[in-house]
Each structure stands twice: as structure tokens, then as C-alpha cells.
């Protein structure tokens, strides 16, 4: 004689707290894995042709940041992008020991992706006024890590900009500092 299996009780169609916790845990783990993979894709990339350290996209982001820090007009009427900041920083980053250049390049990609998520476009493609506003927000953020990262990058950008011969002449500096273009 074969025993018949016990009939299964009908399933409750409601979503339980346990199901919600399981689903949210899976989504969180998936999101963290995705972020980790994205960050790993930014790190330690080969430079573009014509650069020692940077990719072309990273140079565009640096020039866009430099233009937001030093917009056109004023004295001198030279924007940060026009000053060739990305070329100077490419040379500077290529002389640094790892992991510093890779971390700085990763920061540039993070800035770019954050702009894509929040404003629908790459940082370099946003209007200058919005880039200036974003930069002010980031450098005045309550998050000390963000403020410190952007402050450090800003120091490099300011060094490159003030080393340009037109800026040095406008400031009346007589000592040779920076690089000659």
C-alpha cells in the first residue's frame, strides 16, 4: 500500500516581510557589485594616443573642471580650458608614483558618472553655469571626503593654470615657476 503525499496547504499570495528582506538584500548586493565593477573599469586604464597618462575623456573632464574653476573673461581673459590644464596635468600625473594617478583618474570618472546620473549628461557636456554651480556645491559639501578630493584636484588645476605664461604676466610674477609653453 502506497501512502498518498500530504496535501500541500494553499500558498498565501501576500508578500511577506521575509520576502521583502530577501529581495532588498539581493538588489543591494547586485547594486554594490555593479558599482564595484564600474569603479574597477575606471581604474588603471591605458592612456590615449598623444597623452602620457590620461585618456581623451579624462582630459575633457579636466578641462571642463578647469573652465568651471577659471571661467573665461576677467584678467587674463583666459579660461582654465584654454590654458591647457589637461596637458600640464597629464605630464604631472605621469611623473607620480602609483596609485595616485590612477586614483585621480578614477575621481574624474566618478565626477563624470555622477553628472550623468544627476543631470543627464557628462560633466564636460553640461553648460558652464551648471558646471560652476556643481563645482561650488561639491567644494562646499558637508561630506569631507568629497570636499577633500575636489580640493586636492583643484590645487593641481590651480597650479597648472597659474603656471601659464599669460596668467603669470597678468599677475606680475617675475620668478620662473611652473612650465613654459
Amino acid at each position: 500500500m502506497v501512502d498518498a503525499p500530504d496535501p500541500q496547504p494553499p500558498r498565501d499570495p501576500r508578500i511577506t516581510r521575509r520576502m521583502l528582506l530577501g529581495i532588498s538584500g539581493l538588489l543591494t548586493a547586485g547594486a554594490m557589485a555593479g558599482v564595484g565593477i564600474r569603479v574597477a573599469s575606471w581604474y588603471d586604464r591605458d592612456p590615449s594616443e598623444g597623452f602620457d597618462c590620461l585618456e581623451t575623456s579624462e582630459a575633457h573632464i579636466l578641462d571642463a573642471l578647469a573652465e568651471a574653476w577659471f571661467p573665461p573673461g576677467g584678467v587674463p581673459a583666459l579660461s582654465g580650458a584654454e590654458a591647457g590644464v589637461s596637458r600640464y596635468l597629464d605630464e604631472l600625473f605621469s611623473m607620480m608614483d602609483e596609485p595616485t594617478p590612477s586614483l585621480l583618474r578614477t575621481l574624474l570618472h566618478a565626477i563624470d558618472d555622477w553628472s550623468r546620473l544627476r543631470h543627464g549628461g557628462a560633466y564636460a557636456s553640461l553648460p558652464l553655469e551648471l558646471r560652476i554651480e556643481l563645482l561650488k556645491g561639491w567644494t562646499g559639501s558637508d561630506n569631507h571626503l568629497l570636499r577633500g578630493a575636489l580640493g586636492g584636484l583643484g590645487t593641481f588645476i590651480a597650479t597648472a593654470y597659474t603656471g601659464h605664461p599669460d596668467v603669470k604676466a597678468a599677475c606680475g610674477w617675475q620668478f620662473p615657476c611652473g612650465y613654459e609653453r
Side-chain angles (χ1 to χ4, degrees), residues 109-124:
H109 288 283
I111 288 168
D112 203 42
D113 276 10
W114 182 252
S115 298
R116 288 178 203 278
L117 287 172
R118 298 289 302 220
H119 301 285
Y123 184 79

Side-chain angles (χ1 to χ4, degrees), residues 26-62:
L26 285 174
L27 289 174
T28 302
M32 293 305 293
V35 167
I37 290 168
R38 181 66 180 149
V39 169
S41 75
W42 299 334
Y43 191 81
D44 200 25
R45 292 179 165 192
D46 291 331
S48 293
E49 190 171 326
F51 289 96
D52 295 329
C53 183
L54 298 174
E55 286 185 316
T56 305
S57 64
E58 296 161 350
H60 289 304
I61 298 166
L62 271 173

